[in-house]
Amino acid sequence: MRIIKMVLVLLLAATGSAMAQAKKGTLATAKIKVPSVQCNMCKDAIQRYFLKEEGVKSMVVDVKKKEATVKYYTDRTNIENIKTAIANVGYDADDVTANEDSYNDLPKCCKKPEDGGGPVQKKQ
C-alpha cells in the first residue's frame, strides 16, 4: 500500500513539473503602427486573420490611431512574425510593407488614398 501511495505522489510531482515547463513562455504586448488601415473592414480583416495565428492571444486594431495592439506568447512567435502576418493580410506594419498581391485583393475602401481608396466620402 505504501508503494502505491509513493508511486502516486511521484506521478503527481512529475506531472506538475511537466506542466510548469509547458507554461514557460511569457505573454508580451506590443503596439504596431498600421498606417494603411482605413476603415472597420480593414480592422476586421486583420483581427479575423489573427484568430488562427499561432502564439497570438489577442489582436485589437484602432482605426483612428492606426495602431494594432497585440498580445502574444514569446515562446511561440515574435514581433517580426506578427508584422509579416499583417503584411500578408495586405497592410503595412511598421517597417514591413504590405504584400502586393494581398493588397491588390483588398476592397477599394481598404486601399490607400493615393491608390484611390480610403473611406467613402459623403456627398453634400
Side-chain angles (χ1 to χ4, degrees):
M1 187 67 167
R2 286 191 325 184
I3 295 174
I4 293 173
K5 286 182 182 178
M6 183 64 95
V7 169
L8 285 175
V9 169
L10 290 174
L11 184 62
L12 288 173
T15 304
S17 67
M19 290 178 74
Q21 289 177 0
K23 293 182 181 180
K24 193 175 184 180
T26 58
L27 189 61
T29 302
K31 292 190 182 288
I32 301 169
K33 291 291 182 191
V34 284
S36 56
V37 168
Q38 304 294 323
C39 62
N40 283 328
M41 285 178 62
C42 303
K43 170 186 168 179
D44 293 341
I46 294 171
Q47 290 179 171
R48 190 172 46 251
Y49 182 85
F50 278 93
L51 288 175
K52 57 186 178 235
E53 187 68 20
E54 175 67 28
V56 176
K57 182 175 182 191
S58 67
M59 168 71 76
V60 178
V61 178
D62 187 330
V63 176
K64 289 183 181 180
K65 291 182 181 178
K66 296 188 180 279
E67 183 176 78
T69 304
V70 60
K71 291 184 181 182
Y72 64 97
Y73 294 101
T74 58
D75 62 330
R76 296 186 201 157
T77 192
N78 60 47
I79 194 69
E80 292 306 317
N81 288 346
I82 294 168
K83 289 178 187 179
T84 301
I86 292 172
N88 288 338
V89 178
Y91 301 93
D92 296 338
D94 282 344
D95 56 342
V96 180
T97 307
N99 175 294
E100 189 174 336
D101 292 333
S102 298
Y103 178 76
N104 291 334
D105 289 341
L106 293 175
K108 185 175 181 180
C109 66
C110 294
K111 293 189 179 181
K112 299 174 188 173
E114 57 265 23
D115 294 334
V120 177
Q121 301 296 325
K122 294 180 182 176
K123 294 182 180 180
Q124 296 177 344

